[in-house]
Amino acid sequence: MKRLNLDQLQTFAEVVDAGSFSAAAVRLDLSQPAVSLQVRQLEQRLNVRLIERVGKRLKPTSAGLTLLEHARRIDAAVEEAMQALSSHARGVAGEVAIGTGATACIHLLPPMLRAMRKRHPQLDIRVSTGNTDDVVAAVTENRLDIGLVTLPAAGRSLHVTPVLRDEFVAIAPANDNTWGDEVTPHTLAAAPMVAFESGSSTRLLIDDWFLQAGLRMRPVMALGSIEAIKEMVAAGLGYSIVPKMSVNAVHHRRGLRISTLTPELTRTLAIVVRQDKPLTPGLRKVLSALEGLGSVL
């Protein structure tokens, strides 16, 4: 496929506008032979004659007029592209795709995303949710730029950076006065539990907490959403264990009573990025903001 040379195209347009090769050479700060050569090379590339002499002045041929119409649009497109790239060079534009769990998306990321949008309005940060395995797979396959996931998470091509530690708490209906401020695995094992669905990283951590006490949880229902679990508990349908970040805000713990767990149960959230991922200025800013989440909890 024949491709246009932008320098040759600009030279051709200048020759037509100036009316002569010598005048165009002065405008472009080139020698007249160099200007003539560029126009001749453009004609050879397109296999058409672009300029003809009428009296003492040069005029575009019919093919030349057609090319000039396209040249104006090409010049506008190039200018638009250069302006867009200059924004990237300043580190304030571009697109960054983040994958994380629903709990972090709802309860952890919004303040960070709001601050990033205020500082860098041309930086488009897109967030999608999924479990740890799905997010890690998407980062590995370069469908996502960054993952914020619950450990453990591993991949030979990934760089994993622990960011923050979040403890778990027990939740009960707000009007339930039978529990104290601390609850144990034995207390919960005897209660009707509303649990996370099997296979999730959160469920595996909670199951292991019970197993360390020689117990096994037998939930009355298993759900995939922390918000749904909280609603069920608030309605008096059971008890549960949830990440503390999901009940930190007053409006996120309405209808619930919060108790600490003994022994303590925690999880660690980490950033995962491909080791060979090119770190654009925009991506560096997002990584820095995510690393700063460690001071939130």
Side-chain angles (χ1 to χ4, degrees), residues 137-165:
V139 172
T140 301
E141 296 166 9
N142 211 31
R143 290 182 284 113
L144 289 172
D145 298 308
I146 308 171
L148 180 64
V149 299
T150 301
L151 293 182
R156 286 185 295 179
S157 64
L158 299 178
H159 183 69
V160 181
T161 306
V163 175
L164 61 89
R165 178 174 168 272

Short mmCIF file of all heavy atoms in Angstrom, two decimals, residues 137-165:
data_model
loop_
_atom_site.label_atom_id
_atom_site.label_comp_id
_atom_site.label_asym_id
_atom_site.label_seq_id
_atom_site.Cartn_x
_atom_site.Cartn_y
_atom_site.Cartn_z
N ALA A 137 -5.96 -13.18 35.99
CA ALA A 137 -5.90 -13.69 34.61
C ALA A 137 -5.98 -12.54 33.61
O ALA A 137 -5.25 -12.53 32.60
CB ALA A 137 -7.04 -14.68 34.37
N ALA A 138 -6.84 -11.56 33.88
CA ALA A 138 -7.00 -10.42 32.96
C ALA A 138 -5.74 -9.56 32.92
O ALA A 138 -5.36 -9.05 31.86
CB ALA A 138 -8.20 -9.58 33.37
N VAL A 139 -5.07 -9.39 34.07
CA VAL A 139 -3.82 -8.63 34.09
C VAL A 139 -2.73 -9.40 33.34
O VAL A 139 -1.97 -8.83 32.55
CB VAL A 139 -3.38 -8.35 35.55
CG1 VAL A 139 -1.98 -7.73 35.57
CG2 VAL A 139 -4.37 -7.42 36.23
N THR A 140 -2.67 -10.71 33.58
CA THR A 140 -1.67 -11.55 32.91
C THR A 140 -1.83 -11.48 31.39
O THR A 140 -0.85 -11.42 30.64
CB THR A 140 -1.79 -13.00 33.38
OG1 THR A 140 -1.60 -13.06 34.80
CG2 THR A 140 -0.76 -13.89 32.69
N GLU A 141 -3.08 -11.47 30.93
CA GLU A 141 -3.37 -11.43 29.49
C GLU A 141 -3.40 -10.01 28.93
O GLU A 141 -3.73 -9.80 27.77
CB GLU A 141 -4.71 -12.12 29.23
CG GLU A 141 -4.70 -13.60 29.58
CD GLU A 141 -6.10 -14.20 29.65
OE1 GLU A 141 -7.07 -13.50 29.27
OE2 GLU A 141 -6.23 -15.35 30.10
N ASN A 142 -3.06 -9.03 29.79
CA ASN A 142 -2.98 -7.62 29.39
C ASN A 142 -4.33 -7.04 29.00
O ASN A 142 -4.41 -6.05 28.27
CB ASN A 142 -1.98 -7.42 28.25
CG ASN A 142 -1.32 -6.06 28.30
OD1 ASN A 142 -1.12 -5.48 29.37
ND2 ASN A 142 -0.99 -5.53 27.14
N ARG A 143 -5.43 -7.63 29.49
CA ARG A 143 -6.75 -7.05 29.28
C ARG A 143 -7.04 -5.98 30.34
O ARG A 143 -7.93 -5.15 30.16
CB ARG A 143 -7.82 -8.14 29.32
CG ARG A 143 -7.78 -9.08 28.13
CD ARG A 143 -8.87 -10.12 28.16
NE ARG A 143 -8.61 -11.19 29.10
CZ ARG A 143 -9.30 -11.44 30.20
NH1 ARG A 143 -10.32 -10.65 30.52
NH2 ARG A 143 -9.00 -12.43 31.00
N LEU A 144 -6.33 -6.03 31.44
CA LEU A 144 -6.37 -5.00 32.48
C LEU A 144 -4.95 -4.52 32.73
O LEU A 144 -4.00 -5.29 32.63
CB LEU A 144 -6.95 -5.56 33.79
CG LEU A 144 -8.44 -5.88 33.82
CD1 LEU A 144 -8.79 -6.59 35.12
CD2 LEU A 144 -9.28 -4.63 33.68
N ASP A 145 -4.82 -3.24 33.08
CA ASP A 145 -3.49 -2.69 33.38
C ASP A 145 -3.04 -3.03 34.79
O ASP A 145 -1.87 -3.31 35.03
CB ASP A 145 -3.51 -1.17 33.20
CG ASP A 145 -3.84 -0.77 31.77
OD1 ASP A 145 -3.18 -1.28 30.85
OD2 ASP A 145 -4.76 0.05 31.58
N ILE A 146 -4.00 -2.96 35.74
CA ILE A 146 -3.68 -3.14 37.16
C ILE A 146 -4.76 -3.97 37.81
O ILE A 146 -5.94 -3.84 37.48
CB ILE A 146 -3.62 -1.78 37.90
CG1 ILE A 146 -2.69 -0.79 37.18
CG2 ILE A 146 -3.18 -1.96 39.35
CD1 ILE A 146 -2.77 0.61 37.75
N GLY A 147 -4.37 -4.81 38.76
CA GLY A 147 -5.34 -5.52 39.59
C GLY A 147 -5.13 -5.15 41.05
O GLY A 147 -3.98 -4.99 41.50
N LEU A 148 -6.21 -4.97 41.79
CA LEU A 148 -6.16 -4.79 43.23
C LEU A 148 -6.92 -5.96 43.81
O LEU A 148 -8.16 -5.99 43.76
CB LEU A 148 -6.78 -3.46 43.66
CG LEU A 148 -6.78 -3.16 45.16
CD1 LEU A 148 -5.35 -3.04 45.69
CD2 LEU A 148 -7.57 -1.89 45.47
N VAL A 149 -6.21 -6.96 44.34
CA VAL A 149 -6.83 -8.24 44.68
C VAL A 149 -6.45 -8.68 46.09
O VAL A 149 -5.53 -8.15 46.71
CB VAL A 149 -6.39 -9.33 43.68
CG1 VAL A 149 -6.83 -8.98 42.27
CG2 VAL A 149 -4.88 -9.55 43.72
N THR A 150 -7.19 -9.68 46.56
CA THR A 150 -6.90 -10.28 47.86
C THR A 150 -5.84 -11.36 47.70
O THR A 150 -5.95 -12.23 46.82
CB THR A 150 -8.17 -10.89 48.47
OG1 THR A 150 -9.17 -9.87 48.61
CG2 THR A 150 -7.89 -11.50 49.83
N LEU A 151 -4.80 -11.30 48.52
CA LEU A 151 -3.78 -12.35 48.49
C LEU A 151 -4.34 -13.63 49.09
O LEU A 151 -5.24 -13.59 49.94
CB LEU A 151 -2.55 -11.89 49.27
CG LEU A 151 -1.77 -10.72 48.67
CD1 LEU A 151 -0.55 -10.40 49.53
CD2 LEU A 151 -1.35 -11.00 47.25
N PRO A 152 -3.88 -14.81 48.64
CA PRO A 152 -2.74 -15.01 47.75
C PRO A 152 -3.09 -14.79 46.29
O PRO A 152 -4.19 -15.08 45.85
CB PRO A 152 -2.36 -16.46 48.02
CG PRO A 152 -3.65 -17.12 48.38
CD PRO A 152 -4.43 -16.09 49.15
N ALA A 153 -2.11 -14.26 45.56
CA ALA A 153 -2.22 -14.09 44.11
C ALA A 153 -0.83 -14.26 43.54
O ALA A 153 0.13 -13.68 44.07
CB ALA A 153 -2.77 -12.71 43.76
N ALA A 154 -0.70 -15.04 42.51
CA ALA A 154 0.63 -15.33 41.98
C ALA A 154 0.58 -15.46 40.47
O ALA A 154 -0.46 -15.78 39.89
CB ALA A 154 1.19 -16.60 42.60
N GLY A 155 1.71 -15.23 39.87
CA GLY A 155 1.88 -15.39 38.42
C GLY A 155 3.32 -15.09 38.08
O GLY A 155 3.87 -14.08 38.54
N ARG A 156 3.96 -15.93 37.29
CA ARG A 156 5.38 -15.74 37.00
C ARG A 156 5.65 -14.44 36.26
O ARG A 156 6.73 -13.88 36.36
CB ARG A 156 5.90 -16.92 36.17
CG ARG A 156 6.07 -18.20 36.99
CD ARG A 156 6.70 -19.29 36.16
NE ARG A 156 5.83 -19.69 35.05
CZ ARG A 156 6.15 -20.60 34.16
NH1 ARG A 156 7.33 -21.21 34.22
NH2 ARG A 156 5.31 -20.91 33.19
N SER A 157 4.64 -13.94 35.54
CA SER A 157 4.85 -12.71 34.77
C SER A 157 4.40 -11.47 35.53
O SER A 157 4.42 -10.37 34.99
CB SER A 157 4.08 -12.79 33.45
OG SER A 157 2.68 -12.86 33.70
N LEU A 158 3.97 -11.64 36.80
CA LEU A 158 3.38 -10.53 37.55
C LEU A 158 4.29 -10.01 38.64
O LEU A 158 5.07 -10.76 39.24
CB LEU A 158 2.06 -10.97 38.17
CG LEU A 158 0.95 -11.41 37.22
CD1 LEU A 158 -0.26 -11.85 38.02
CD2 LEU A 158 0.59 -10.29 36.26
N HIS A 159 4.17 -8.73 38.90
CA HIS A 159 4.80 -8.10 40.06
C HIS A 159 3.69 -7.85 41.08
O HIS A 159 2.71 -7.16 40.78
CB HIS A 159 5.48 -6.79 39.67
CG HIS A 159 6.21 -6.14 40.80
ND1 HIS A 159 7.35 -6.66 41.36
CD2 HIS A 159 5.94 -5.00 41.49
CE1 HIS A 159 7.76 -5.88 42.34
NE2 HIS A 159 6.92 -4.87 42.45
N VAL A 160 3.83 -8.43 42.29
CA VAL A 160 2.79 -8.34 43.32
C VAL A 160 3.30 -7.45 44.46
O VAL A 160 4.34 -7.72 45.05
CB VAL A 160 2.43 -9.74 43.86
CG1 VAL A 160 1.33 -9.63 44.92
CG2 VAL A 160 1.99 -10.65 42.71
N THR A 161 2.51 -6.41 44.78
CA THR A 161 2.90 -5.46 45.83
C THR A 161 1.80 -5.37 46.88
O THR A 161 0.73 -4.80 46.61
CB THR A 161 3.14 -4.05 45.25
OG1 THR A 161 4.09 -4.13 44.19
CG2 THR A 161 3.64 -3.11 46.32
N PRO A 162 2.00 -5.93 48.08
CA PRO A 162 1.00 -5.77 49.15
C PRO A 162 0.77 -4.29 49.46
O PRO A 162 1.72 -3.50 49.52
CB PRO A 162 1.63 -6.51 50.34
CG PRO A 162 2.60 -7.47 49.72
CD PRO A 162 3.14 -6.75 48.51
N VAL A 163 -0.49 -3.92 49.65
CA VAL A 163 -0.83 -2.51 49.83
C VAL A 163 -1.43 -2.23 51.20
O VAL A 163 -1.02 -1.33 51.91
CB VAL A 163 -1.82 -2.04 48.74
CG1 VAL A 163 -2.27 -0.61 49.01
CG2 VAL A 163 -1.19 -2.12 47.37
N LEU A 164 -2.43 -3.01 51.59
CA LEU A 164 -3.10 -2.73 52.86
C LEU A 164 -3.62 -4.00 53.51
O LEU A 164 -3.86 -5.01 52.84
CB LEU A 164 -4.21 -1.70 52.69
CG LEU A 164 -5.38 -2.04 51.75
CD1 LEU A 164 -6.48 -2.77 52.51
CD2 LEU A 164 -5.94 -0.77 51.13
N ARG A 165 -3.81 -3.90 54.80
CA ARG A 165 -4.31 -5.02 55.59
C ARG A 165 -5.68 -4.63 56.14
O ARG A 165 -5.83 -3.58 56.74
CB ARG A 165 -3.33 -5.28 56.74
CG ARG A 165 -3.69 -6.37 57.71
CD ARG A 165 -2.52 -6.57 58.67
NE ARG A 165 -2.88 -7.38 59.81
CZ ARG A 165 -3.41 -6.92 60.94
NH1 ARG A 165 -3.67 -5.62 61.06
NH2 ARG A 165 -3.71 -7.72 61.93
#
